[in-house]
Amino acid sequence: MPKLSPVLLAIGLAAGLTTMTSAGAALADGCPAGLAKKDNGCMAPGQAKKADERRDDDRRTEDRRDDRKEDRKDDRREADQRDGDRRYRVGERIERDYIVVKEPRRYGLDPRYTYYRVADDVFRVDRDTREVLNFIGAASALLR
């Protein structure tokens, strides 16, 4: 049997240990060596593709939800424009085109509050900020 020099023996052992260490590290994660090199979380190629498809489906579903929300907003805007006047919601500020309701008690309203009439709607508003606190109703029903 030929005699190996100590240097060659050391190099051979080092190369073998390096290969075993990297394989051992891959298996220590629970990932086989071939999948450990992939950047997909240790999934087999078919499973990785299915996960990508599911992720794409989720994105499409979210996009459809966003589209529906935008459609509803557009529908509300169109309805406001069709009505010809501005419908205020609680929390919004009435900036213009309003009439202060004088003597609210006369119309069955609490005199401690301020009321504005906009078109045919009556709102209870904050005296200082003009923010809508409550929708009271149609002016034609109240102001008879």
Side-chain angles (χ1 to χ4, degrees):
M1 182 160 152
K3 198 169 197 185
L4 293 174
S5 74
V7 175
L8 289 177
L9 184 60
I11 291 172
L13 286 173
L17 288 175
T18 305
T19 308
M20 287 175 46
T21 320
S22 64
L27 290 175
D29 268 348
C31 235
L35 293 179
K37 296 177 185 175
K38 305 279 186 197
D39 190 28
N40 62 10
C42 192
M43 279 193 220
Q47 290 175 333
K49 184 177 179 184
K50 287 179 186 177
D52 287 343
E53 288 171 356
R54 271 187 247 118
R55 202 173 308 116
D56 290 343
D57 287 346
D58 291 346
R59 284 189 197 118
R60 281 192 288 270
T61 301
E62 287 176 25
D63 290 345
R64 279 185 295 227
R65 277 190 207 122
D66 292 342
D67 289 345
R68 284 193 299 261
K69 283 181 186 176
E70 287 302 316
D71 288 346
R72 284 193 296 266
K73 286 180 185 176
D74 291 342
D75 290 346
R76 281 195 298 262
R77 279 189 212 108
E78 288 173 10
D80 287 345
Q81 290 171 355
R82 271 195 312 268
D83 290 346
D85 60 349
R86 175 77 167 92
R87 304 282 185 214
Y88 292 96
R89 293 176 185 84
V90 173
E92 292 182 331
R93 294 178 72 182
I94 299 177
E95 298 292 337
R96 54 186 163 79
D97 298 330
Y98 63 89
I99 298 171
V100 178
V101 176
K102 304 280 185 188
E103 301 178 35
R105 179 174 290 155
R106 181 175 162 191
Y107 305 105
L109 301 172
D110 191 335
R112 297 176 294 169
Y113 299 108
T114 302
Y115 300 91
Y116 287 175
R117 189 180 94 191
V118 180
D120 192 43
D121 296 329
V122 177
F123 300 93
R124 182 169 59 101
V125 298
D126 182 282
R127 180 175 290 136
D128 300 323
T129 64
R130 295 189 313 271
E131 182 178 310
V132 174
L133 301 174
N134 196 4
F135 172 72
I136 303 300
S140 58
L142 290 172
L143 306 177
R144 291 181 196 194

